[in-house]
Amino acid sequence: MEQERFLRDVMAAHGDMVYRLALCRMQNVQDAEDVYQDVFLRLLQEPDRDWDGEHLKAWLIRTALNRCADLHRFRLRRPVLPLEAVPELAGETDRQAAELWEAVGRLPEKLRTVVHLHYAEGYGTEETARLLGVPAATVRTRLRRARLKLKDLLGGYDDGE
């Protein structure tokens, strides 16, 4: 019973974050749902620990990223479902935000992931680097490349860069 309560609490606190990350990475609702389910099943299989909030959140993100990588390697992917086709995610966002996240969805996976972790989840470059297992300079480079690609995709103006 205690394990069930723990799982429900973790899913309530971090389930949306795991799902959004999986959807960002997989670009497919069915695959994102599979990742979501697998992450929480793996949490149940973990030995009892005294999880603190940030350690648990980092473990969930790392496990979700690893499961996404597993699915990319081992499964034939289904067609991509655009984010605007998922009404509960589109919600009441304004048109500009929807256009921006649609453009983010067209970025290569490595760029999409750092943009999601940095802007949607609020992780700094050092934290993102630890989660992805890459140097912080790589994260900063990917963020810069993502911003440049987004500027091209969205028809941004030249701001002197």
Side-chain angles (χ1 to χ4, degrees), residues 9-79:
D9 291 346
V10 172
M11 289 175 78
H14 302 292
D16 288 344
M17 181 257 323
V18 169
Y19 181 76
R20 286 190 312 264
L21 177 59
L23 187 59
C24 172
R25 188 77 178 223
M26 301 305 295
Q27 293 288 291
N28 179 288
V29 170
Q30 292 83 9
D31 287 343
E33 289 171 349
D34 288 346
V35 168
Y36 176 89
Q37 179 177 336
D38 288 346
V39 166
F40 289 106
L41 284 174
R42 288 181 186 194
L43 179 62
L44 277 177
Q45 296 167 351
E46 279 293 302
D48 288 337
R49 296 187 195 184
D50 187 23
W51 293 98
D52 68 30
E54 283 307 308
H55 178 73
L56 176 60
K57 188 173 179 183
W59 185 92
L60 291 168
I61 289 172
R62 185 76 248 157
T63 304
L65 290 172
N66 287 341
R67 186 62 185 128
C68 289
D70 291 346
L71 283 178
H72 278 300
R73 281 193 303 268
F74 298 117
R75 179 185 278 177
L76 293 173
R77 296 193 50 216
R78 294 175 278 248

Side-chain angles (χ1 to χ4, degrees), residues 1-10 44 48:
M1 187 63 157
E2 185 175 321
Q3 192 176 27
E4 184 179 326
R5 185 176 326 124
F6 170 73
L7 184 62
R8 286 179 194 221
D9 291 346
V10 172
L44 277 177
D48 288 337

